[in-house]
Amino acid sequence: MPRNGTPLRSELALGIILVMVAAVGVYSIVLDPLLRDDVAPDPGPAFFPLVLLALLGCGGLLQLITVTWRAASARRLLPDPEFQPRLMLVPSLLIGSLLTYAWALPRAGYFASTLAFGIVWLAISDRRAAGQTRSIHRWLLYGLEGLVIALALFVIFRYAIRIPLP
Amino acid sequence: MIDGLAAAADAVLMNPHALLIGLLACGLGIVLGALPGISSTMSLAVLLPFSFVMDVEIAMVFLMGVFYGSVYGGSISAILLNIPGTPGSMVTQLDGYPLARQRRAGDALTYALFASTVGGVLGLVALMMFAPLLAKAALLFQSPESTALMVLGLTMLAYASPGSTYLAVLGGIIGLLLGAVGLDTVTNQSRLDFGIPQLQAGVNLIPVVIGLFGLAEVARNLESPQGSVQGVRDLGRVTVKWRGLWDMRFTALRSSIWGIVVGIIPAAGSAIAVSIAYAQEKRLFQGKEKFGEGNPRGVVAAEGANNSCVGGALVPMMTVGIPGDSMTAVLMGALLIHGLRPGPALFEKNADFVAIVYITLAMAIVFTVIWAALALRLFAKLLGAPQRLLMVAITLLCVVGSYSVQNSYFDVLVMIAAGAVGYLMNKVGMATAPVIFGLVLGPLLEENLRRSLIVYGSWSVFFERPISLALLLLAGANLAFPMVGPWLRRRSA
């Protein structure tokens, strides 16, 4: 069962997301005519995912109902302390920069994109840990560290396990 | 069995390449397991792509080395930094860190190594004893029993996962759905691909594993600034006190047995095993010894259970194809990619490989002792490495590792998406391990379910066959207990 206690907005959001995912999945399967042919007793290719989507949808709906019920009883729906912008800013930046890195990899090549990503994140991490990024010496250090990491990965993948990197 | 072991020993132990890979993998596993913020599952996940270019025997040497090494490595940071490197080491720190503060870090690490080795060896013996017996029994299973067993396995995995069982079940369903994406094996029709051609081949397990266990943990660690962690760096004099170790023999034995028993239960995991073993020793020595203030017995109890869990968790994976914990789920995924399906048939068709698993686990235990004997001070020094280097190196390894599986940028995007989803799942208290269990077991479950219906013609087959019915009833009880349990307790109170 969904948890008890003070209802949180994140719990409500989770219920909504689960119901939406289930609805989109069911929609994509039901609309596909090729998935309709089931030769009894084989229930066909749509059966298993439809059962799972139904379970997911029901689970999401149950979550929605219980959170709404609890919120109505408590007359409040609290923000989740886990979802404070202060906590999520840097992880979100990481995901965003990784998408940029994945976009840049085939265009700028492995070394340029990896070095740029490495230096930026070494600087961010160091600044947050020790508040030091201003001196040219630190930036040179990040460059050197980024180069060593990029080179090490390149050598391992290219020469030890023979995977061609872009 | 003896012939198979001799052949496997010949194939692995006489191969210098395999020995070198095993030694390096074990060292790497110890270092990664020791570093705070890097769990054993994360170590295994980010290093998994390396195994795909290896022969299956060498891949097993590599993966087992990382697996076992990282489990032992977790004790180093628990003792020196008071931060468990892995969930299984969370109890080690209770007595290990106070010992280190008393300038007896070397002693604590020696006790941990002793208990790890006893636990590892007993886990291996249990694996060799029980796995063939269970596999023989599992050979009697037809597809209805296999279907019911997988349903039971999934409910147990959800039940034993940390956090809400309800959310863990939903996580398992999400994993099963991911496993259903792509071409259906019976009719060859593509499902849930949303017009994306890359999804017709299905969702690749490796980028999802790397994202959920690697990138998601990096993102979580980034929430707070990570400087170098303070702790005890001076190991003091590292001498083996044979008398002290001999006094701990029964504690090591008892806790190892707990580790094996809990490890065999799918998804129960080392965190539960170490808690039970520690509590048992506390109860046995109540009034005679104090725990939590630097008692070596506490370290031995925790580490014996933690390491024997490795062998225990391999039993259900090897015999019935149900992973014992998240690490064995990753290991099972690797075996599937190498074309080996864990389960009773493995013992019939690939008996040589089964023997290789035994040998590689034995090798990992020996290599861990060698590394610990030779390089303990080096590992202690590595704990002081700047966290920024680690964070960037692991993030880049996640990207390059997921790209390298199929030389595909799409896999990198899948890994990033899995990382973002895994991070959010952690925040809402939804365990990520059931997603991997679902993804690994999903295609097998669907195949067995549909084969049962095609062969037996009706759903009633699941309820007419006694073993299948019993397994389904157990699965139902697993799901019902979290709901009924609190109600029963309230009533009795």
Side-chain angles (χ1 to χ4, degrees):
Chain A
M1 286 293 285
R3 71 185 196 97
N4 296 315
T6 318
L8 301 171
R9 281 179 207 163
S10 62
E11 293 178 87
L12 193 72
L14 177 66
I16 294 170
I17 290 169
L18 291 176
V19 171
M20 278 170 61
V21 168
V24 170
V26 170
Y27 183 74
S28 88
I29 286 183
V30 170
L31 279 195
D32 190 340
L34 294 171
L35 294 177
R36 285 189 201 138
D37 43 326
D38 53 330
V39 184
D42 178 22
F47 172 75
F48 189 65
L50 274 179
V51 169
L52 296 173
L53 287 164
L55 287 171
L56 191 70
C58 290
L61 208 58
L62 183 62
Q63 171 91 0
L64 266 180
I65 292 167
T66 48
V67 174
T68 312
W69 179 265
R70 278 163 44 215
S73 314
R75 291 173 184 273
R76 58 184 178 167
L77 191 60
L78 296 178
D80 192 335
E82 278 287 326
F83 283 84
Q84 291 172 39
R86 182 179 57 82
L87 285 178
M88 295 183 68
L89 178 67
V90 181
S92 309
L93 264 178
L94 176 74
I95 301 294
S97 63
L98 273 172
L99 288 170
T100 314
Y101 174 48
W103 176 84
L105 257 175
R107 290 166 180 83
Y110 170 77
F111 271 106
S113 49
T114 304
L115 206 56
F117 179 88
I119 291 173
V120 168
W121 275 98
L122 285 165
I124 292 174
S125 307
D126 201 28
R127 171 137 185 98
R128 296 184 74 223
Q132 307 167 8
T133 51
R134 302 265 162 87
S135 74
I136 189 84
H137 168 254
R138 296 301 294 182
W139 281 101
L140 283 174
L141 182 68
Y142 305 145
L144 189 65
E145 287 174 348
L147 190 64
V148 169
I149 294 172
L151 256 175
L153 285 176
F154 184 80
V155 169
I156 292 169
F157 278 87
R158 184 72 187 84
Y159 296 106
I161 63 172
R162 295 169 200 276
I163 302 281
L165 295 176
Chain B
M1 164 118 160
I2 302 293
D3 289 347
L5 275 177
D10 196 43
V12 177
L13 299 178
M14 294 297 141
N15 180 348
H17 181 55
L19 291 173
L20 184 67
I21 292 275
L23 191 66
L24 291 176
C26 223
L28 201 57
I30 296 174
V31 171
L32 289 176
L35 292 168
I38 303 182
S39 66
S40 301
T41 315
M42 182 181 184
S43 311
L44 204 57
V46 294
L47 294 176
L48 202 53
F50 290 105
S51 72
F52 297 139
V53 290
M54 302 171 183
D55 291 336
V56 68
E57 295 86 7
I58 307 285
M60 201 61 213
V61 170
F62 176 76
L63 293 171
M64 198 62 90
V66 174
F67 182 9
Y68 189 84
S70 64
V71 172
Y72 168 71
S75 68
I76 298 176
S77 55
I79 290 167
L80 298 181
L81 305 180
N82 203 23
I83 301 171
T86 58
S89 318
M90 62 180 194
V91 174
T92 309
Q93 73 190 83
L94 296 181
D95 282 289
Y97 188 64
L99 270 172
R101 295 285 302 268
Q102 296 161 21
R103 296 181 178 276
R104 291 178 64 199
D107 280 356
L109 288 166
T110 311
Y111 280 114
L113 179 63
F114 162 73
S116 302
T117 310
V118 172
V121 171
L122 290 176
L124 172 64
V125 171
L127 176 67
M128 292 173 72
M129 272 170 58
F130 297 129
L133 294 176
L134 265 175
K136 208 170 265 180
L139 271 175
L140 302 172
F141 284 17
Q142 301 292 324
S143 38
E145 284 80 14
S146 297
T147 308
L149 185 68
M150 280 179 213
V151 172
L152 173 65
L154 278 165
T155 57
M156 286 186 79
L157 300 167
Y159 183 64
S161 293
S164 154
T165 305
Y166 174 75
L167 293 182
V169 170
L170 292 178
I173 293 172
I174 292 171
L176 289 169
L177 265 171
L178 288 176
V181 170
L183 292 177
D184 165 45
T185 47
V186 180
T187 60
N188 231 18
Q189 298 293 343
S190 185
R191 310 162 298 185
L192 297 169
D193 62 9
F194 301 99
I196 301 168
Q198 289 96 331
L199 283 180
Q200 289 191 353
V203 177
N204 195 324
L205 173 73
I206 305 308
V208 179
V209 168
I210 296 175
L212 283 182
F213 293 122
L215 185 59
E217 276 193 56
V218 170
R220 184 81 182 171
N221 287 338
L222 276 175
E223 284 189 345
S224 52
Q226 303 272 310
S228 289
V229 187
Q230 297 304 308
V232 177
R233 294 279 188 280
D234 178 18
L235 301 190
R237 264 189 80 197
V238 184
T239 49
V240 181
K241 294 186 174 107
W242 297 107
R243 176 83 202 164
L245 296 181
W246 181 248
D247 289 344
M248 297 291 162
R249 65 193 182 281
F250 290 119
T251 297
L253 189 68
R254 278 190 298 268
S255 53
S256 299
I257 291 171
W258 271 118
I260 293 164
V261 171
V262 176
I264 288 176
I265 300 169
S270 53
I272 297 175
V274 295
S275 306
I276 295 175
Y278 187 79
Q280 178 201 248
E281 290 306 307
K282 247 178 118 171
R283 204 168 38 245
L284 275 175
F285 290 89
Q286 204 171 24
K288 293 178 206 156
E289 293 181 13
K290 270 191 173 174
F291 283 80
E293 294 173 14
N295 186 345
R297 198 177 299 284
V299 176
V300 172
E303 282 305 301
N306 189 18
N307 284 264
S308 60
C309 244
V310 174
L314 285 171
V315 174
M317 185 203 87
M318 300 261 298
T319 55
V320 288
I322 305 281
D325 54 18
S326 52
M327 277 183 288
T328 43
V330 176
L331 206 59
M332 185 169 157
L335 293 184
L336 287 170
I337 288 168
H338 273 286
L340 291 164
R341 182 183 284 194
L346 192 70
F347 285 74
E348 274 205 330
K349 293 179 189 160
N350 296 89
D352 292 351
F353 179 76
V354 174
I356 281 174
V357 173
Y358 301 153
I359 297 289
T360 52
L361 181 54
M363 263 172 75
I365 296 167
V366 173
F367 285 148
T368 299
V369 175
I370 293 173
W371 275 114
L374 298 179
L376 213 45
R377 286 181 198 280
L378 178 70
F379 295 141
K381 282 212 165 59
L382 281 174
L383 294 180
Q387 292 286 301
R388 65 173 188 277
L389 286 176
L390 207 64
M391 194 284 294
V392 170
I394 287 182
T395 309
L396 289 171
L397 194 56
C398 288
V399 173
V400 181
S402 49
Y403 170 81
S404 71
V405 179
Q406 303 180 108
N407 291 356
S408 156
Y409 292 107
F410 184 74
D411 282 346
V412 177
L413 294 178
V414 170
M415 185 278 296
I416 297 170
V421 171
Y423 170 68
L424 293 174
M425 284 174 74
N426 283 332
K427 287 189 101 53
V428 293
M430 201 170 185
T432 48
V435 178
I436 298 300
F437 298 140
L439 183 52
V440 170
L441 293 180
L444 307 177
L445 175 61
E446 184 182 9
E447 188 188 317
N448 277 293
L449 174 72
R450 287 173 67 184
R451 194 189 298 146
S452 306
L453 291 172
I454 291 169
V455 173
Y456 298 95
S458 156
W459 285 90
S460 60
V461 65
F462 295 107
F463 307 102
E464 285 164 357
R465 298 168 71 97
I467 298 177
S468 161
L469 178 64
L471 293 170
L472 286 177
L473 285 174
L474 273 174
N478 261 343
L479 288 178
F481 188 73
M483 291 178 256
V484 180
W487 179 75
L488 285 176
R489 271 196 296 275
R490 270 200 305 273
R491 240 188 117 187
S492 62

